[in-house]
Amino acid sequence: MQDYSITFRSHASCAERYPENPQTMSTALPRKELFDIPEGIIYLDGNSLGPLPRAVTSHVSNVVTAQWGAQLIRGWNESLWMQQPGRVGDLVARLLGAPPGSVMMGDTLSIKVFQALAASLKLRPERRIILSDNGNFPTDLYMAQGLIDTLGQDYELRVVDPEAVEASIDESIAVVMLTQVDYRSGRLHDMKTITALTQEAGAISLWDLAHSAGAIPLDLTASQCEFAVGCTYKYLNGGPGSPAFIYVRPDMIEQTQPVLAGWMGHDAPFAFDQQYKPAMSIERLRVGTQPVIQTSALEAAMQVWEGVDMQDVRKASIALSERFITEVEARCPALTLASPRSANERGSQVSFAFEHGYAAMQALIDAGVIGDFRAPNIMRFGFTPLYLDENDVLKAAMILQEILDDRRWDDPRYQVLNAVT
């Protein structure tokens, strides 16, 4: 993996070359003081990994020393580690428009996809088709195919174009499994409409909210979807490897059969029964022991959302994204917008296609503007109003123009493909 301590050598001059213009500053939401972002960096990759909230460092240190170090195993009771997945789940639930007691933390997103998909198929045992689209994140499709290979019985994963999803929903479908925001282009599915069509056809709706949670307003209660899953290291800033979440509509919890019947999901785990009996609450979606330290980091990170209205976040992210598109299209004609033109049809990211996109992104990162790349030619930029303002967006576009005008991306060192792009 690239050593960013080396490649960021030129970022210190970014602020000097592009001084702030008070007239362009957004007054919507910046809470930059709550984040620990390296000086001189413009961070446009929160859609891949959120930056470090300042509260996390001291909190995790306390968990390690005062809880694990001093309390040892007593921490499970004295520091309430056992209740942590549900407690943090309730913090996430607020941003999902979900009620307390409907979201559980733990494991990885891949595991939560598997859990929700397997439970969905059990709820529709007479049907055999899982419907998804080719904009879904690959791991979701991998998990679906792996589950099908395990089950056999003529199950089918049917993958269509995103535009064809609604017309493909019929009474043969068991589950409609979609990622709400396309990880490459930012294309946004209409959750309410698709969920209604799914339920009219008698199927189960399963939504992956990895690129939605903390980025756009969500109302899982109003949507009436049965299941939702997502990760927390993107817009929720939980850190690399932070736990995933799973949502189950409250009236469906007792009908949901955990295929991964883990000890922590048992109704009485410390009774040590030989036979599995699922908890009567969202606790049944727990599998193994949660990563206490990583979940603690997420719990502290969630403080940045206190008092934040997701409608304000959405309004600000659209303004930032629109400004960026306008600036890039005016300054960088070699780039082609790969995201929907309408802000209402995309999430909180903007993607541009460029033949030399990977190398150009490496040069941009080297200049102190961090985005990322997705094959075959997509340069991705995430817009998070909690720590970005309009001045950041303008600077980023100006630096990108420099990179392209100078053909800086043509430098051989930017052609080396890293393990993580």
Side-chain angles (χ1 to χ4, degrees):
M1 189 178 295
Q2 188 169 348
D3 182 354
Y4 287 109
S5 64
I6 296 174
T7 59
F8 283 157
R9 59 187 177 279
S10 64
H11 73 247
S13 62
C14 174
E16 297 170 2
R17 287 183 291 136
Y18 304 104
E20 292 185 355
N21 177 358
Q23 294 182 345
T24 67
M25 296 291 285
S26 169
T27 59
L29 266 178
R31 294 181 162 204
K32 293 186 179 187
E33 73 280 2
L34 301 182
F35 292 88
D36 191 3
I37 299 175
E39 184 179 355
I41 292 296
I42 298 174
Y43 194 66
L44 304 181
D45 207 16
N47 55 303
S48 191
L49 176 67
L52 173 65
R54 293 186 184 276
V56 169
T57 304
S58 59
H59 182 69
V60 169
S61 178
N62 180 72
V63 170
V64 171
T65 57
Q67 296 182 21
W68 177 21
Q71 296 172 353
L72 299 170
I73 198 169
R74 293 174 299 167
W76 286 101
N77 292 318
E78 294 179 12
S79 292
L80 303 178
W81 292 346
M82 194 65 175
Q83 294 77 21
Q84 186 185 53
R87 182 173 71 243
V88 179
D90 285 347
L91 297 178
V92 173
R94 184 182 77 82
L95 299 184
L96 306 181
S102 64
V103 175
M104 182 54 58
M105 310 303 302
D107 315 301
T108 66
L109 178 51
S110 297
I111 295 299
K112 293 309 178 193
V113 169
F114 189 93
Q115 276 188 291
L117 186 55
S120 297
L121 291 177
K122 280 182 169 286
L123 289 167
R124 295 295 182 268
E126 74 286 358
R127 301 189 184 192
R128 291 289 183 271
I129 299 174
I130 301 167
L131 177 66
S132 191
D133 69 30
N134 52 31
N136 208 342
F137 194 71
T139 195
D140 294 21
L141 303 180
Y142 301 160
M143 297 307 290
Q145 191 59 60
L147 177 59
I148 287 173
D149 292 345
T150 300
L151 294 174
Q153 304 176 36
D154 300 321
Y155 281 96
E156 173 191 346
L157 173 61
R158 184 173 297 171
V159 180
V160 301
D161 292 336
E163 297 79 9
V165 167
E166 294 183 18
S168 301
I169 300 172
D170 59 33
E171 294 182 356
S172 70
I173 305 298
V175 188
V176 176
M177 178 186 70
L178 299 170
T179 297
Q180 187 185 20
V181 177
D182 188 310
Y183 74 101
R184 292 165 302 187
S185 68
R187 183 189 188 279
L188 177 65
H189 273 304
D190 184 336
M191 178 188 288
K192 187 174 182 179
T193 296
I194 292 177
T195 298
L197 290 172
T198 299
Q199 294 176 344
E200 286 173 14
I204 299 292
S205 57
L206 165 55
W207 289 95
D208 183 337
L209 305 178
H211 288 267
S212 307
I216 62 176
L218 293 165
D219 192 342
L220 296 187
T221 298
S223 80
Q224 286 295 295
C225 68
E226 286 86 357
F227 295 95
V229 296
C231 59
T232 61
Y233 49 80
K234 302 183 191 299
Y235 295 100
L236 299 185
N237 312 299
S242 60
F245 63 82
I246 185 167
Y247 161 84
V248 182
R249 200 176 71 202
D251 65 298
M252 302 287 295
I253 289 175
E254 293 186 22
Q255 303 172 46
T256 299
Q257 299 180 44
V259 173
L260 297 176
W263 176 46
M264 286 293 180
H266 194 282
D267 188 50
F270 283 89
F272 299 107
D273 293 335
Q274 293 296 304
Q275 299 299 315
Y276 180 75
K277 178 184 177 184
M280 298 303 290
S281 67
I282 191 66
E283 293 282 335
R284 66 173 56 196
L285 274 302
R286 295 179 70 170
V287 182
T289 303
Q290 83 273 13
V292 172
I293 296 172
Q294 191 68 69
T295 309
S296 298
L298 172 62
E299 187 166 17
M302 292 301 294
Q303 294 178 30
V304 303
W305 295 99
E306 292 178 4
V308 173
D309 187 320
M310 285 306 302
Q311 296 293 338
D312 292 336
V313 171
R314 179 61 169 165
K315 181 179 178 180
S317 70
I318 287 177
L320 294 174
S321 300
E322 291 289 286
R323 180 65 188 272
F324 187 70
I325 291 172
T326 298
E327 293 292 337
V328 170
E329 290 190 325
R331 298 170 180 274
C332 310
L335 272 57
T336 302
L337 183 64
S339 297
R341 175 69 58 181
S342 170
N344 293 326
E345 296 176 5
R346 64 175 186 263
S348 196
Q349 72 181 63
V350 171
S351 299
F352 282 92
F354 180 48
E355 180 183 1
H356 307 285
Y358 175 77
M361 182 56 74
Q362 301 316 299
L364 189 63
I365 291 172
D366 205 13
V369 179
I370 303 181
D372 65 15
F373 173 83
R374 290 296 178 263
N377 62 351
I378 298 297
M379 300 176 71
R380 297 195 314 174
F381 303 91
F383 296 91
T384 307
L386 295 185
Y387 51 81
L388 291 172
D389 58 40
E390 192 174 354
N391 193 67
D392 295 321
V393 169
L394 179 58
K395 289 180 184 178
M398 294 170 71
I399 296 171
L400 179 57
Q401 179 183 9
E402 283 188 2
I403 299 294
L404 298 180
D405 287 351
D406 297 347
R407 291 181 63 91
R408 209 175 303 171
W409 50 264
D410 216 9
D411 190 312
R413 61 189 164 146
Y414 299 137
Q415 313 295 321
V416 179
L417 189 65
N418 293 312
V420 177
T421 63

